[in-house]
Amino acid sequence: MIIGYLITMCVLAAINNVLHFRNYGRNTHLYSLLFFALFICCAGLLLLALSQTADGAIMAVKMSYAGSAFLPFFLFCAILQVCHVRFQQAYQLVLFLLSFAIFGMVCTIGYSDLYYKDFAYAVASGVGNYVVQNYGWGHDLFNVMLLVYLVANVSIIVHTFFKKKNVSYKSLFALALIETSTIASFLLARFMENDMLIMPAVYVFDQFLLLYICERVKHYDISESVLRSLEAGNANGYASISTSEKFLGGNEIAYNHFPELLECRVDHTLPNKPGVVQFFKEWANEIRQGNVIHEKEFETGDRHFKCTVKKSGNSDRDYATLFKIEEDTEYHRYVQMLGSDNNRLQQLAKSNASQIHAIQEQMIVNMASMVESRDSNTGGHIKRTSKVVAILTEEMQRDPSFNLPKKFYEALIVAAPMHDIGKIAIDDMILRKPGKFTDEEYNIMKSHAAKGAVIVENLLSSIEDPYLVQIARNVAHYHHERFDGSGYPHGLAGELIPFEARIMAVADVYDALVSRRCYKERMSFSNANEIIMGSMGTHFDPRLKQSFVNCREKLEAYYRQVTH
C-alpha cells in the first residue's frame, strides 16, 4: 500500500516539475531548483521503501537529503524574491555553503557518527522498508538550521504583509501555508518516526502552492511583460564586437539578414571576409582609433541598410561595439523612384521632420511633467532645471577650454527634462512620501536612474538622432553620480562620469537648494552658492566652477522671477 502511495506522489511531483518548467521555467530558475529539490525528496523516500539491503537504504536516505539539505535555502530565497526583500549576496553564499556542509555530513552516514551515530535497517512487509537511526550532532545542526529558516521566513512574510502593499496578499498566504504545513508535518513525522507516511504528500502539496505563486508572480511582473512586448515588437538586427575585434554574437534578425555572421565563431576574431563582416570589422577599428561615426549606410545585394553604433561598457578600454541594423530598402527605392521631384520632396520631408521633432520634444516634456506630477516633492523642478542647464551651457560656450560642438549643448538642453523620467517606474507610496526614506525605500528610489536610462533608450532610439539618445540616456543614468565616486547607481568618479551628466548634476542640486519642498523651505542664494562652490571637486566637476560663478547673477535673477 505504501509503495503505491509513494509512487503516486513521485509521479505527481514529476508532473508538477514538468508543468512548472513548461509554463514558468524560462525566467524562474530559482523555482525550478525548488521544484526539483521537492521531487528528489519524494524519490529518495520511494527508493528507501523499495530498498532490499542496508546499503541500499542508506543510499536512498542520502538521496532524500540531497533535496532536504537545500530545500530550506531555496525556499528562503523564493520568499525573498516574492516579498521584494534585498539580502546581500555574500550572506546568501554563506547559507548555500551551510546547506552543502549539511549534505556533506549526510554523506558520511555509514562511515562516521557525524550525522547518524548508529542505524538499523528495518523490513516491514506491505509498509515499505525504512531505517531506524540514532541522530548525531550533525542532525542537530540541521534542526537548528530549519528553526532559523522558519523564524526568518515567518518574520519576512509578516513584515511584508504589514509594511508592503506591492506584494499580493494571496502570494503571502500561500507562502505562509507552505511554511506552516511543512513544519507541522515535519514535527508530526518525527513524532511518528516515519517520514514516508506524511512528507511526500506535503512535498507535492508545496509544489501545488508554488505553482500558484509562480502564476501570481508572472501575473504581477510588469517588467517581464514589458520586456516580452519590446522583444516581440523589435524589427532591428543587432551585432556586437569587442575592442579586440572579437565577435560577441547577434540576435536572430541579424543572422537572418546576414547569414555569413553564422560562420563567425563567437569570442573569436572576425575573419577577413568581404561583405558585412568586413564592414563591421573596419567600422569597429575606426571607433577604436577614435574616429567615431555614429551612423552609416551600406548595401548588400539589392537590399539597403542603415546602421547605427554605440559603445557599451564600464570604461574606454573595456567596451563592446553594438551595431543596430535597420533595413530601409523600400524607403531607399522610393527615394530613387522620385527622380526629378527628389529635391522638392526631400525639402518637404525635412520640413515635416522639423514639425515631428517639435512634437516629439513636446511629448517628452509632457511625459517628464507627468512624472513630476506624481512626485509631491518636486513641483516645477523639470522646468527650472532645464532653464539652469540652458543658462549654464550658454556661459560654457563662451569658454574655449571646453571645445564642445554646439550640437552637444543643444542635445543637452533637449535631454534635461528627461533626467528624472525613471521615477515613472517608482511606486507612489515611495515617490510621494513627504518624510525621510528608510534604507529600503531609498534603495528603491535610487533605482530610478538606471530605469530612466532604459526608458529613454526605448522611447527615443527609433525616432531620434543617436547622438541625442546617448546624451539623454547618460543624463538620466548618471546625474546622481558624484565626482569623488560616492554617488549612485555605479559609484563612477571623475572623467568616467559622462560630461553631460556632470553638468546636469549641478543644475539638479542647485534647484533642490534654492527651491521650496514639502519637507523644507528654500535656501538663500548665498548659502546655496556656498554649498555648490564647496562641493566642486567632491560632488561636482571642478571644471564647471568658473562657468557657474559667471552665470550666478543670471541664475538668481531667474529664480527671483519664478518664485515671486
Side-chain angles (χ1 to χ4, degrees), residues 163-210:
K163 297 296 184 180
K164 295 184 177 182
K165 293 188 178 180
N166 61 338
V167 180
S168 167
Y169 74 93
K170 295 179 181 179
S171 297
L172 292 176
F173 178 77
L175 288 173
L177 193 56
I178 289 176
E179 279 293 320
T180 55
S181 63
T182 303
I183 297 301
S185 302
F186 177 78
L187 295 175
L188 179 61
R190 283 289 181 266
F191 176 77
M192 297 177 61
E193 297 184 350
N194 196 334
D195 289 355
M196 68 178 62
L197 290 177
I198 299 173
M199 296 312 296
V202 175
Y203 294 145
V204 172
F205 177 68
D206 288 347
Q207 284 187 326
F208 284 128
L209 290 175
L210 287 169

Side-chain angles (χ1 to χ4, degrees), residues 84-274:
H84 306 312
V85 174
R86 296 180 180 273
F87 195 70
Q88 290 191 13
Q89 191 172 9
Y91 296 149
Q92 292 189 46
L93 177 60
V94 171
L95 295 178
F96 189 50
L97 293 176
L98 176 61
S99 296
F100 263 111
I102 295 292
F103 182 64
M105 287 187 283
V106 170
C107 292
T108 66
I109 296 176
Y111 303 98
S112 76
D113 59 357
L114 280 177
Y115 206 79
Y116 285 179
K117 291 181 180 179
D118 53 68
F119 62 90
Y121 176 61
V123 179
S125 178
V127 182
N129 306 326
Y130 58 95
V131 172
V132 179
Q133 65 280 318
N134 184 18
Y135 296 120
W137 67 267
H139 191 274
D140 295 335
L141 178 61
F142 177 66
N143 288 335
V144 170
M145 182 183 74
L146 291 180
L147 180 61
V148 172
Y149 273 120
L150 172 64
V151 173
N153 292 346
V154 171
S155 300
I156 292 171
I157 293 171
V158 172
H159 172 79
T160 302
F161 180 81
F162 287 105
K163 297 296 184 180
K164 295 184 177 182
K165 293 188 178 180
N166 61 338
V167 180
S168 167
Y169 74 93
K170 295 179 181 179
S171 297
L172 292 176
F173 178 77
L175 288 173
L177 193 56
I178 289 176
E179 279 293 320
T180 55
S181 63
T182 303
I183 297 301
S185 302
F186 177 78
L187 295 175
L188 179 61
R190 283 289 181 266
F191 176 77
M192 297 177 61
E193 297 184 350
N194 196 334
D195 289 355
M196 68 178 62
L197 290 177
I198 299 173
M199 296 312 296
V202 175
Y203 294 145
V204 172
F205 177 68
D206 288 347
Q207 284 187 326
F208 284 128
L209 290 175
L210 287 169
L211 284 173
Y212 172 78
I213 291 173
C214 287
E215 180 62 29
R216 305 298 299 180
V217 170
K218 178 182 178 182
H219 182 69
Y220 290 117
D221 190 358
I222 301 300
S223 60
E224 180 62 28
S225 299
V226 171
L227 288 175
R228 287 197 302 269
S229 176
L230 291 174
E231 183 179 354
N234 177 51
N236 300 320
Y238 289 90
S240 185
I241 300 173
S242 73
T243 51
S244 56
E245 294 186 2
K246 290 183 178 180
F247 182 56
L248 302 180
N251 66 349
E252 185 177 353
I253 296 174
Y255 288 129
N256 289 337
H257 283 329
F258 313 110
E260 56 266 41
L261 291 176
L262 292 170
E263 301 176 11
C264 300
R265 183 174 293 278
V266 171
D267 208 26
H268 281 61
T269 303
L270 283 172
N272 291 318
K273 299 181 65 175

Side-chain angles (χ1 to χ4, degrees), residues 320-335:
T321 306
L322 181 65
F323 296 95
K324 177 183 176 183
I325 310 150
E326 302 176 74
E327 182 176 6
D328 61 350
T329 304
E330 294 300 323
Y331 171 78
H332 189 70
R333 289 175 180 171
Y334 179 71
V335 171

Side-chain angles (χ1 to χ4, degrees), residues 364-373 378-388 416-421 504 511 558:
I364 290 168
V365 173
N366 290 342
M367 178 170 285
S369 299
M370 182 174 65
V371 175
E372 185 178 68
S373 69
T378 59
H381 176 69
I382 288 172
K383 182 178 179 180
R384 294 192 302 270
T385 51
S386 299
K387 183 63 175 179
V388 173
M418 292 180 276
H419 71 281
D420 274 339
I421 201 168
M504 190 69 235
D511 180 73
Y558 167 70

Side-chain angles (χ1 to χ4, degrees), residues 493-506:
E495 300 295 325
L496 292 179
I497 307 172
F499 192 46
E500 54 267 28
R502 287 178 257 160
I503 299 171
M504 190 69 235
V506 175

Side-chain angles (χ1 to χ4, degrees), residues 277-294:
V277 175
Q278 190 65 26
F279 172 78
F280 288 152
K281 187 174 182 177
E282 291 177 356
W283 197 356
N285 185 52
E286 291 175 7
I287 294 173
R288 189 172 65 254
Q289 295 176 359
N291 182 21
V292 181
I293 301 174
H294 292 284

Side-chain angles (χ1 to χ4, degrees), residues 509-527:
V509 174
Y510 184 79
D511 180 73
L513 294 175
V514 301
S515 300
R516 184 182 180 278
R517 299 286 173 86
C518 65
Y519 52 85
K520 76 172 188 68
E521 291 299 325
R522 63 176 59 92
M523 185 179 292
S524 69
F525 292 128
S526 59
N527 288 342

